[in-house]
Amino acid sequence: MSERKRRRGDPAAAGSSGKTKIRSDASSSPLLFKNRLKPDSIILATLQQLHAAEQSSSSTGKVPTLAELGLSSTCREVSDRDPAAVRITIEDSILAAARSILEGRGFSFSVPSRSSSNQIYVPELDRIVLRDKSSIRSFSSLSTVRKTTITVRLLALIHQLCTKNIHVTKRDLFYTDVKLFQDQTQSDAVLDDVSCMLGCTRSSLNVVASEKGVVVGRLIFTEQGDRIDCTKMGVGGKAIPPNVDHVGNMESDALFILLVEKDAAFMRLAEDRFYNRFPCIIVTAKGQPDVATRLFLKKMKTELRLPVLALVDSDPYGLKILSVYMCGSKNMSYDSSNLTTPDIKWLGIRPSDLDKYKIPEQCRLPMTDQDLKTGKDLLEEDFVKKSGGWVRELELMVQTKQKAEIQALSTFGFQYLTEVYLPLKLQEKDWI
Amino acid sequence: MSERKRRRGDPAAAGSSGKTKIRSDASSSPLLFKNRLKPDSIILATLQQLHAAEQSSSSTGKVPTLAELGLSSTCREVSDRDPAAVRITIEDSILAAARSILEGRGFSFSVPSRSSSNQIYVPELDRIVLRDKSSIRSFSSLSTVRKTTITVRLLALIHQLCTKNIHVTKRDLFYTDVKLFQDQTQSDAVLDDVSCMLGCTRSSLNVVASEKGVVVGRLIFTEQGDRIDCTKMGVGGKAIPPNVDHVGNMESDALFILLVEKDAAFMRLAEDRFYNRFPCIIVTAKGQPDVATRLFLKKMKTELRLPVLALVDSDPYGLKILSVYMCGSKNMSYDSSNLTTPDIKWLGIRPSDLDKYKIPEQCRLPMTDQDLKTGKDLLEEDFVKKSGGWVRELELMVQTKQKAEIQALSTFGFQYLTEVYLPLKLQEKDWI
């Protein structure tokens, strides 16, 4: 057993197995990689190049609009609007309805279809957008009177939220009129309709999702007037607020944003104050990305013009998470321009890392049938296909049928992630 | 419909239904309750009394010890130890093993039993503790050699963590030796054994759970040297750190701690800066309480000697959550003294509030069979039985077969919670 323990590079175990000699073969691979590390100044120079490229890049923050692509008549999307603008839009639509009633024509709304048949992937934008199909929701039709009533009720509630400028959850909205809405799926669905109909993002409507993400590192911002310095947030970090419009005045001397899939890795990076050694902002949604974290990432990337490097598990689920950050989820495709951060670089853990960094066999996990199916499905996704590197990595995963979590690196010592793996990755520009 | 809308006290709807007159019956109940509110200075005086009682109370922070109860020989519990003390304890146990081996007797550990048959509720402590049953885990026995090996391996790893003073998750521990541990349930179970065996809390072993909770309001503390002012944490609040031993120097001018079950209510309270009107600290674990939030609450309550008022859903699950904060969960009963905060006051939403505050029928939900069973089971729990008030509330819930979420209050307006319900509850000392 001492042989195996020593191979793991575990100092405690190595110390206790005095009888065996240290050999310099593959078993000491962790040390091997550590020895490849150059001084931090060299790694920092590499990061400065990456940073400079991002700052000068014309693509960052300046994605072509639908109009520039000649798609404005056939596609639609929503935009961030301030509460006053939302109020006016609502008032306009209600005035139009009143006028229509006075003219003896009853009233109706033209509601964009959000079905997948009305969605399209636009390669130039690298995300899904809604096509222009709409349907008429009339108060005088038996089949749509309920939905029309719910729509009017939500318009009134949102008007109230924007007047007071307070934020509520979808659950709060539901409870304002349980008898009408009956169950929350109905008010949620119409809320998305209203968002599309008004051309405003859901967060512009002051309806927010619950917060889940945390951020730590070289970022200062104001939140509802409070100045938040994320280098002084201990190891727990700052909770990302549910309403990103309360966030302003972002400042940073970071060279990049490190997007982390899971909170265990986040904790390691925060406790080791990784951002002090390599100036960066570390952010995680603790698994499946929520809307607040996606908006926050987008805002950081756009305002600070920083490159985003992603650290996720080497499994199809890790890639799925990246796809949500990059391309959005299908049921909110009307809002994809505000929620998505294209151009995220895949730093690790990549399938090719498993052999490259000699992750022991027993720390790799076999992929389940479901994993394999998801992996093969991902190979058909546009966001994967546009990059040869991503396709090769994913093919390797599906072919070797092996996956690994970020934490598999703990096999080489708890701080291997922060002290060897990530610095080496950065030094060698090993992102795709 | 205008009649119903008006009853909801929804300003937007009231304005649009000009034809009906406002009547002063039950339908205007939200206003009725609002009119009952006295000036804030009177409510604050009430809270100052509550606060003073807590500060002078001999019970706070001074629960009898097992020794004082004459139970130290028949019960056991663990305590918080610093990393140096944990290291010495581990070294002692390894030296004892070495001595035993040298004397030709092989080695074994005496491991406390954590089974429910070895657990007992101690009324004086108001929590579950472990009895003194132990079993011998011997390296020379075929049935225990594996577990003994895992125990030694974990002792070595924890020794390393305490030497470096870094914190890792259970998942990280598992990955250090997948071949030996085979699956994480095995390393997790032995970790709990080791915690009992060494008499140290799991967080003393520098093994932490992932963070989930957030805190906002009148609290200042240091976290790994950073000074955190929770009045300046915007609406998102500060993420509660996974390792409470990084937290120190707590200061507060709050009169109470408001423990909230869900993040939607937390968000409402934070956005409305409820803590500025009524000096308090607001904390939530976003559902089922995690270890980090429980430790943080305990630390606040003990160091600041503040009363804790709880705001949970009026359903059996809300009470279950309170029970975890107050009495601990069964599988960590050995650690109950460090994790539990007895003496939490149940502020709301209580079953009797549904009629008292005239929550409309359609905002109440019928209890499922499972709910009813859980409710009846809770009536048998000691932490409920010790309070006549709690028993009566729970009996009412089971009898009416109705439950309601905190957010049901949104039916009277989104800010009814912060502007009417909670102030009135505090004014009338309506906690039990």
Side-chain angles (χ1 to χ4, degrees), chain A residues 59-70:
Chain A
S59 75
T60 315
K62 187 114 183 80
V63 178
T65 63
L66 288 178
E68 283 164 12
L69 294 170

Side-chain angles (χ1 to χ4, degrees), chain A residues 1 4-5 7-8 10-13 149 152-153 156-157 160-161 164-180 208-214 223-228 231-243 246 262-264 266-268 270-273 275 286 362-365 404-405 407-415 419, chain B residues 1 4-5 7-8 10-13 149 152-153 156-157 159-161 164-169 171-180 208-214 223-228 231-243 246 262-264 266-268 270-273 275 286 362-365 404-405 407-415 419:
Chain A
M1 201 175 72
R4 186 167 49 73
K5 273 188 182 166
R7 200 175 65 220
R8 298 282 173 85
D10 175 341
T149 310
V152 174
R153 179 80 177 129
L157 290 166
Q160 181 188 345
L161 291 177
K164 293 187 176 178
N165 202 16
I166 59 171
H167 297 74
V168 301
T169 62
K170 295 201 263 187
R171 190 79 180 150
D172 286 311
L173 272 190
F174 163 67
Y175 264 115
T176 54
D177 208 337
V178 177
K179 209 173 227 165
L180 173 63
V208 296
S210 66
E211 56 184 82
K212 211 165 61 104
V214 279
E223 184 182 332
Q224 217 191 30
D226 295 335
R227 187 170 184 277
I228 315 277
T231 60
K232 300 205 170 74
M233 286 294 137
V235 290
K238 171 72 180 81
I240 291 176
N243 25 4
H246 276 325
K262 293 196 291 197
D263 46 350
F266 178 90
M267 198 186 80
R268 176 82 277 117
E271 190 172 64
D272 291 354
R273 306 254 174 176
Y275 53 83
K286 301 181 183 175
Q362 65 267 24
C363 294
R364 309 181 188 189
L365 300 165
E405 296 178 73
Q407 282 153 300
L409 294 169
S410 295
T411 194
F412 300 128
F414 296 118
Q415 291 171 301
E419 291 182 353
Chain B
M1 201 175 73
R4 185 166 49 73
K5 273 188 181 167
R7 200 175 69 223
R8 298 282 174 82
D10 176 338
T149 310
V152 174
R153 178 79 177 129
L157 289 166
H159 190 266
Q160 182 189 342
L161 291 178
K164 293 187 176 178
N165 202 17
I166 59 171
H167 297 76
V168 301
T169 62
R171 190 77 180 153
D172 286 311
L173 272 188
F174 162 68
Y175 265 116
T176 54
D177 207 336
V178 177
K179 209 173 227 167
L180 173 62
V208 296
S210 67
E211 57 184 78
K212 209 164 62 102
V214 280
E223 184 181 333
Q224 217 191 31
D226 295 336
R227 186 170 184 275
I228 315 276
T231 61
K232 300 206 170 73
M233 285 296 137
V235 290
K238 170 73 179 81
I240 292 176
N243 26 4
H246 277 325
K262 292 196 290 197
D263 47 350
F266 178 90
M267 198 187 79
R268 177 82 276 116
E271 189 173 62
D272 292 353
R273 306 254 174 176
Y275 52 84
K286 301 181 184 174
Q362 66 267 26
C363 294
R364 310 181 188 190
L365 301 164
E405 294 179 73
Q407 283 154 299
L409 294 170
S410 295
T411 194
F412 300 127
F414 295 120
Q415 290 173 301
E419 292 182 352

Side-chain angles (χ1 to χ4, degrees), chain B residues 48 77 157 207-208 247 263 271 282 321 338 369 418:
Chain B
Q48 262 138 12
E77 54 187 357
L157 289 166
V207 180
V208 296
V247 170
D263 47 350
E271 189 173 62
I282 304 166
I321 284 178
N338 301 285
D369 291 345
T418 49

Side-chain angles (χ1 to χ4, degrees), chain A residues 13 25 42 44 49 59 87 103 105 130 134 152 192 198 202 212 225 227 237 269 271 274 313 317 396 408 416 420 426:
Chain A
D25 60 4
I42 294 178
L44 286 170
Q49 283 166 24
S59 75
R87 265 170 57 196
E103 288 167 359
R105 292 184 290 113
L130 272 195
S134 297
V152 174
D192 282 336
L198 299 177
R202 201 180 66 197
K212 211 165 61 104
R227 187 170 184 277
L269 290 158
E271 190 172 64
F274 186 75
D313 287 345
Y317 190 71
L396 181 65
Y416 190 77
V420 180
L426 297 175

Side-chain angles (χ1 to χ4, degrees), chain B residues 319-344:
Chain B
L319 267 189
K320 270 272 182 202
I321 284 178
L322 280 192
S323 88
V324 173
Y325 280 114
M326 293 171 72
C327 315
S329 62
K330 295 231 160 144
N331 69 340
M332 286 194 74
S333 56
Y334 64 87
D335 197 359
S336 60
S337 72
N338 301 285
L339 284 171
T340 56
T341 306
D343 191 30
I344 292 178

